Amino acid sequence: MVLKQEEVIKTQVMCEKLQNIEDQIKMLSSTISDTEKALRANDLQFLQDYKQTKKMVKCNVRQPELIRDILINSAKHLRMLKFGIWRKMANIVTYVPITFDPNTAQSNLNFSEELTCVQYSNKQLLPDNPERCTNCLCVLGATGFTSGKHSWTVDVGQGKNWYIGVAQESIKRKTVVFLKPTEGFWVIGLCNGDSFWAKTTPPTKLTLKQKPDRITVELDYDKGKVVFINTADMTTIYTFKDRFTERIFPYFSPGLNKDGENSSPLTISPQTITVDVE
């Protein structure tokens, strides 16, 4: 866009300069023609018009103007072009640390195009593949972990029922399960829009100062910890401590949507993208 604008402006300047030169050529051609006509006149007429003819031939012909910076500034536009595009793309694209795996999703769940948002919807006809959870309204993350520290933030919106956390790979997917660590689940959730629970045995009711809109899940696989944090004020909501022996996946359950009462989806919040030059 900037290159095109510079091209238009400089082309307009050159057109104006060329028009001035053409005007000078026309004026000079007219002077030459009038002078030749005067020279072909008879002697008496020439002598009578001598002063006017002499004045006419003293035409001031200017040298063509040398214009600085009239060429397209290629260095300005082409230097580090790829880096400039990459840097601007950071303001457009988004990055999330995890996405949903639709192959594990219960058939009532619907996803955004980039698999970063999940919501209860109409039942779909889907294959009953081994990975799919059929008796639990949930979906797992696309990436599992067997070591290290990992974190992601979930926008829980205004839904009345939801559960988030982690689950181990060997959870039962075709039968009814209870969300508790002994079954391979480490999750917390909101019930009926007013009570928060950590799904322990028995469940632990959580007392929160404010209802969180966004919750960060921090998984430390090696230390066996799953920490839930209110992203708004970075206060800890609950911490599970256990021992992991197999691959662990992010777990999400947006809850039912009956008559629009739980219409808010669960969304993975994008992370900030920065471009540094060392």
Side-chain angles (χ1 to χ4, degrees):
M1 181 65 181
V2 177
L3 178 61
K4 185 65 177 178
Q5 185 177 11
E6 181 179 345
E7 179 185 4
V8 170
I9 292 174
K10 290 188 173 181
T11 300
Q12 183 178 352
V13 171
M14 288 301 298
C15 288
E16 291 175 356
K17 298 299 180 183
L18 287 172
Q19 185 61 49
N20 290 337
I21 292 174
E22 290 178 1
D23 292 341
Q24 290 184 51
I25 292 173
K26 289 179 181 179
M27 183 179 65
L28 184 59
S29 297
S30 178
T31 300
I32 293 173
S33 177
D34 292 341
T35 303
E36 289 177 342
K37 186 183 298 183
L39 291 174
R40 287 195 297 268
N42 56 56
D43 295 343
L44 180 59
Q45 185 65 42
F46 177 78
L47 292 174
Q48 288 176 342
D49 297 336
Y50 174 74
K51 289 184 178 182
Q52 182 64 28
T53 302
K54 184 178 179 181
K55 182 178 179 181
M56 179 177 60
V57 297
K58 289 183 178 181
C59 179
N60 184 21
V61 179
R62 291 177 293 174
Q63 291 292 328
E65 181 181 357
L66 297 177
I67 306 173
R68 292 183 60 84
D69 299 325
I70 194 61
L71 298 179
I72 299 296
N73 192 341
S74 301
K76 174 183 176 182
H77 299 292
L78 298 180
R79 68 183 183 93
M80 301 177 69
L81 178 61
K82 292 181 180 180
F83 176 79
I85 294 174
W86 178 43
R87 191 164 190 168
K88 289 183 178 180
M89 286 294 291
N91 299 322
I92 302 174
V93 299
T94 58
Y95 169 77
V96 293
I98 60 170
T99 56
F100 301 116
D101 181 2
N103 292 336
T104 66
Q106 196 269 351
S107 57
N108 282 94
L109 296 182
N110 188 39
F111 300 90
S112 63
E113 184 177 358
E114 294 184 342
L115 302 177
T116 59
C117 181
V118 60
Q119 188 172 20
Y120 184 86
S121 183
N122 296 325
K123 190 176 182 65
Q124 306 169 76
L125 183 61
L126 298 174
D128 189 14
N129 51 300
E131 304 91 345
R132 192 172 307 284
C133 300
T134 56
N135 281 327
C136 183
L137 188 68
C138 67
V139 61
L140 302 182
T143 304
F145 309 106
T146 57
S147 64
K149 296 180 179 180
H150 311 274
S151 69
W152 55 93
T153 299
V154 185
D155 187 337
V156 296
Q158 301 300 316
K160 294 181 179 295
N161 296 279
W162 50 259
Y163 288 99
I164 60 173
V166 300
Q168 63 187 19
E169 189 171 19
S170 63
I171 58 172
K172 297 176 182 178
R173 308 191 185 204
K174 307 300 180 183
T175 59
V176 177
V177 295
F178 296 96
L179 300 179
K180 55 185 180 180
T182 55
E183 295 284 343
F185 298 90
W186 295 265
V187 302
I188 67 169
L190 174 66
C191 297
N192 300 319
D194 56 8
S195 58
F196 291 89
W197 296 85
K199 301 300 283 184
T200 54
T201 306
T204 301
K205 189 170 184 178
L206 305 176
T207 302
L208 306 181
K209 293 181 179 180
Q210 61 179 5
K211 185 178 180 180
D213 295 322
R214 298 168 70 226
I215 297 175
T216 298
V217 183
E218 293 186 348
L219 167 67
D220 189 331
Y221 187 98
D222 301 315
K223 291 186 177 181
K225 291 176 63 177
V226 184
V227 184
F228 298 86
I229 299 171
N230 186 342
T231 311
D233 57 12
M234 298 306 294
T235 56
T236 299
I237 298 173
Y238 191 79
T239 300
F240 285 96
K241 293 183 179 180
D242 213 320
R243 181 172 177 269
F244 302 131
T245 58
E246 58 181 271
R247 190 176 299 274
I248 298 295
F249 288 85
Y251 175 92
F252 308 89
S253 176
L256 296 175
N257 179 12
K258 295 181 179 179
D259 300 324
E261 291 182 358
N262 190 63
S263 59
S264 293
L266 295 179
T267 304
I268 306 299
S269 298
Q271 295 183 340
T272 301
I273 300 176
T274 59
V275 180
D276 297 324
V277 180
E278 296 182 357

